[in-house]
Amino acid sequence: GLELSHCVGTNSLGPTGPWRSGGPCKMKRVRTVFKPEQLERLEQEFLKQQYMVGTERVDLAATLHLTETQVKVWFQNRRIKWRKQSMEQKAAKLSQFGVIQPASADSTDSKDHEEDTVDVEL
């Protein structure tokens, strides 16, 4: 579920949604922490299909007690992770056969994988 946090040093009554605001604080969404059961079900659905849309997404969100947006963003982030893993596997296979890939701006470095996730609402 969502956990709301408040800005330190402000006299505001607090956020009215999953966004923090007020005073010197910047607008920042509080990270959703999924329960293990929710993650397991989301992963199962991702294995079946990488895109969850329409009533399927609404139904899954209701079943897991999440918002439709939380499910949508989870699938977006999971697709990014999936593509990154696919690229890494492809690179590993190529290097195994002695094929060297040219360095590009898209190459994977030692950054924490969470920096690549998208956590926005549109």
Side-chain angles (χ1 to χ4, degrees):
L2 282 177
E3 292 183 24
L4 302 178
S5 64
H6 301 282
C7 295
V8 178
T10 61
N11 293 325
S12 68
L13 296 174
T16 57
W19 296 92
R20 290 189 281 187
S21 65
C25 294
K26 294 180 182 177
M27 295 290 280
K28 184 174 180 182
R29 190 178 190 289
V30 178
R31 184 182 174 102
T32 301
V33 179
F34 295 98
K35 296 175 184 171
E37 305 81 40
Q38 292 170 324
L39 287 173
E40 186 177 332
R41 178 66 190 277
L42 288 164
E43 287 288 350
Q44 286 174 356
E45 294 299 323
F46 185 81
L47 289 174
K48 292 182 203 171
Q49 57 188 16
Q50 284 76 46
Y51 290 86
M52 177 72 59
V53 294
T55 55
E56 291 176 329
R57 185 167 61 207
V58 172
D59 292 344
L60 182 60
T63 301
L64 298 176
H65 305 290
L66 297 169
T67 66
E68 186 180 351
T69 301
Q70 287 172 316
V71 172
K72 179 186 82 169
V73 171
W74 185 90
F75 268 81
Q76 288 172 339
N77 291 337
R78 186 61 182 85
R79 284 191 299 271
I80 291 169
K81 181 179 176 182
W82 179 60
R83 286 186 199 111
K84 185 177 177 182
Q85 288 172 337
S86 297
M87 294 291 282
E88 287 171 353
Q89 287 174 354
K90 190 183 230 181
K93 283 182 182 178
L94 289 174
S95 66
Q96 181 181 358
F97 294 109
V99 178
I100 301 171
Q101 282 197 281
S104 68
D106 210 12
S107 65
T108 309
D109 55 23
S110 61
K111 284 184 188 175
D112 182 20
H113 69 86
E114 300 212 40
E115 291 178 11
D116 294 336
T117 59
V118 177
D119 198 13
V120 294
E121 294 185 25
L122 300 174

